[in-house]
Amino acid sequence: MDAIITFIGENIQLIYILILSIFVGIEVISKVPSALHTPLMSGANAIHGVVIIGAIIVMGHAEAGNWPALILGFLAVILGTLNVVGGFVVTDRMLEMFKKKK
Amino acid sequence: MIQQYWLYLIYLLGSVFFIVGLKMLSGPKTARNGNFLAAAGMAIAILGTIFMHTNEDGEPIGNYGWIFGGIAIGTVVGWISAKKVKMTDMPQMVSLFNGMGGACAALISLVEFGHLHDDASPATVLTIVAGLVIGSVSFSGSIIAYAKLQEIMKKTFRLPAQNILTLVLLIATLGLTVYIALGHPSAVLLYTVFALSLAYGVLFVLPIGGADMPVVISLLNSFTGVAAAFGGFLYDNQVMLTGGILVGSAGTLLTILMCNAMNRSLTNVIFGSFGGGSAAAAGGGSA
């Protein structure tokens, strides 16, 4: 029990961000029209590509001789970038199509 | 030190861009600019990390060759495949990119697990393993969703006692995750959890029909968001946390909204023909 309370205490700012972000996430998309469901999903998909930052940190602090870390980190950077770039470009193409239809 | 504060400011800006971008994405007139805004937020967060991030010991980011090489490869491949994909094939492309994000989160956890010290707190270990589990489920599930929509995998597989098997797998995965966190951080156990999570993702998506796939992709999308948020906890990284949780919560709501638009319930989609195959089949057919 003490360990849990200690964890919460030490990370209280992150936990506030966590809770508030949950509400913000729900609030900002609550009025989305159904035609925008797929582009919104795709846009959100690109945003969670922010995990690339973790990959950059792993890669950036991997020691020179630590090949498993280097290779896995490198792969993670590639995959994360795919998620970000592919995600935003696909979303843009979807929305472009949306505009033409109107 | 001051450099770190600049980075915090950049992360704050990135988070605001994500929130405003997501808000704009949910309105028809502003959607496209919202996407640009979110992309801009991502760009500054990435560049800020590369040039300003320092770890606990104050060391800056190194291995620039690897980082820029990886980003270059990812950008070229991602850009071309996103530009070339046919309009009708876009949902599976989203699923594929989502899977890449999940795999990215899983790989981060694998590497960070190797860096754990003996005195690591259970919370830290749990953060790492949870990122691995959710990222892996999202990865393998997304790949199956992709294969189904791309019609590489045409049939809907249903193993005998599928739901029970999936449940057992889920319980085993979660149980082992907690076990590792409570002071048994061995690599063998970690790879077992990794394998179990991958298998769970596959079994989770396999029985779901093609018409319900967009809902599943949306759900897996929010999973990856949560996996990214665990990374944020691990690195005390605010923008990863905000970005990840935003997608986690918005994605969950979006999943429910999509179900409502199809006149189905989420449990109905996920557990499909639990106890009555005909109802789910009829629902899937009409959607």
Side-chain angles (χ1 to χ4, degrees):
Chain A
M1 194 61 204
D2 280 357
I4 299 172
I5 296 295
T6 310
F7 176 77
I8 293 174
E10 283 172 350
N11 293 284
I12 191 67
Q13 287 185 337
L14 287 180
I15 291 169
Y16 266 89
I17 297 177
L18 174 92
I19 304 289
L20 294 177
S21 296
I22 291 175
F23 286 105
V24 171
I26 291 172
E27 200 56 41
V28 291
I29 70 144
S30 58
K31 292 191 187 76
V32 60
S34 60
L36 277 176
H37 280 172
T38 312
L40 181 62
M41 173 174 86
S42 180
N45 169 52
I47 290 176
H48 72 49
V50 74
V51 70
I52 172 82
I53 287 178
I56 293 172
I57 295 174
V58 160
M59 186 76 251
H61 297 297
E63 288 134 36
N66 189 349
W67 286 101
L70 286 171
I71 291 168
L72 292 180
F74 184 60
L75 262 179
V77 172
I78 295 178
L79 295 176
T81 314
L82 273 174
N83 187 180
V84 171
V85 175
F88 283 122
V89 174
V90 159
T91 311
D92 191 54
R93 280 193 62 199
M94 283 181 189
L95 292 167
E96 195 180 36
M97 176 170 68
F98 199 81
K99 213 172 195 178
K100 273 181 197 154
K101 246 194 241 168
K102 282 231 142 183
Chain B
M1 201 63 206
I2 192 81
Q3 183 182 323
Q4 198 171 10
Y5 291 161
W6 274 108
L7 186 58
Y8 288 161
L9 196 64
I10 287 171
Y11 282 165
L12 180 64
L13 202 62
S15 304
V16 172
F17 276 26
F18 286 164
I19 295 170
V20 178
L22 205 55
K23 174 78 192 164
M24 288 167 76
L25 266 168
S26 62
K29 287 202 182 102
T30 52
R32 215 170 162 199
N33 288 332
N35 189 45
F36 280 124
L37 194 65
M42 188 69 75
I44 56 171
I46 290 174
L47 290 174
T49 307
I50 294 178
F51 294 111
M52 292 179 161
H53 185 272
T54 50
N55 66 4
E56 294 134 15
D57 304 328
E59 294 165 4
I61 294 274
N63 296 325
Y64 278 131
W66 290 82
I67 293 175
F68 286 116
I71 291 180
I73 295 172
T75 304
V76 170
V77 176
W79 191 286
I80 291 175
S81 45
K83 279 286 184 193
K84 277 200 165 169
V85 63
K86 277 187 287 180
M87 290 292 180
T88 46
D89 291 347
M90 279 183 177
Q92 50 265 51
M93 207 64 210
V94 173
S95 181
L96 197 60
F97 289 138
N98 178 49
M100 299 300 112
C104 180
L107 290 179
I108 292 170
S109 289
L110 281 183
V111 177
E112 286 301 331
F113 193 84
H115 292 166
L116 276 179
H117 300 294
D118 289 337
D119 58 349
S121 75
T124 308
V125 181
L126 188 63
T127 309
I128 293 177
V129 183
L132 176 75
V133 168
I134 302 173
S136 312
V137 169
S138 182
F139 168 67
S140 61
S142 296
I143 298 300
I144 299 294
Y146 167 80
K148 284 198 160 198
L149 286 177
Q150 195 67 31
E151 297 191 327
I152 297 168
M153 187 184 284
K154 284 190 178 149
K155 276 175 68 182
T156 297
F157 293 88
R158 178 160 281 279
L159 301 172
Q162 171 95 29
N163 281 320
I164 296 170
L165 200 65
T166 316
L167 190 66
V168 169
L169 201 55
L170 180 64
I171 292 170
T173 310
L174 296 181
L176 203 54
T177 301
V178 174
Y179 182 74
I180 293 176
L182 290 177
H184 307 272
S186 86
V188 176
L189 289 180
L190 187 80
Y191 281 98
T192 312
V193 164
F194 186 31
L196 287 177
S197 316
L198 289 174
Y200 178 75
V202 172
L203 282 187
F204 172 66
V205 180
L206 266 185
I208 300 173
D212 287 335
M213 247 349 125
V215 176
V216 176
I217 296 172
S218 175
L219 188 65
L220 293 171
N221 188 30
S222 63
F223 281 8
T224 314
V226 175
F230 274 110
F233 251 102
L234 185 62
Y235 295 119
D236 275 338
N237 190 299
Q238 299 88 348
V239 76
M240 279 178 84
L241 186 68
T242 338
I245 284 298
L246 266 181
V247 177
S249 67
T252 307
L253 176 63
L254 184 61
T255 310
I256 296 168
L257 291 177
M258 286 168 97
C259 283
N260 291 347
M262 292 165 63
N263 263 327
R264 313 229 8 222
S265 76
L266 189 55
T267 42
N268 192 271
V269 169
I270 294 171
F271 298 108
S273 53
F274 189 72
S278 56
S286 63

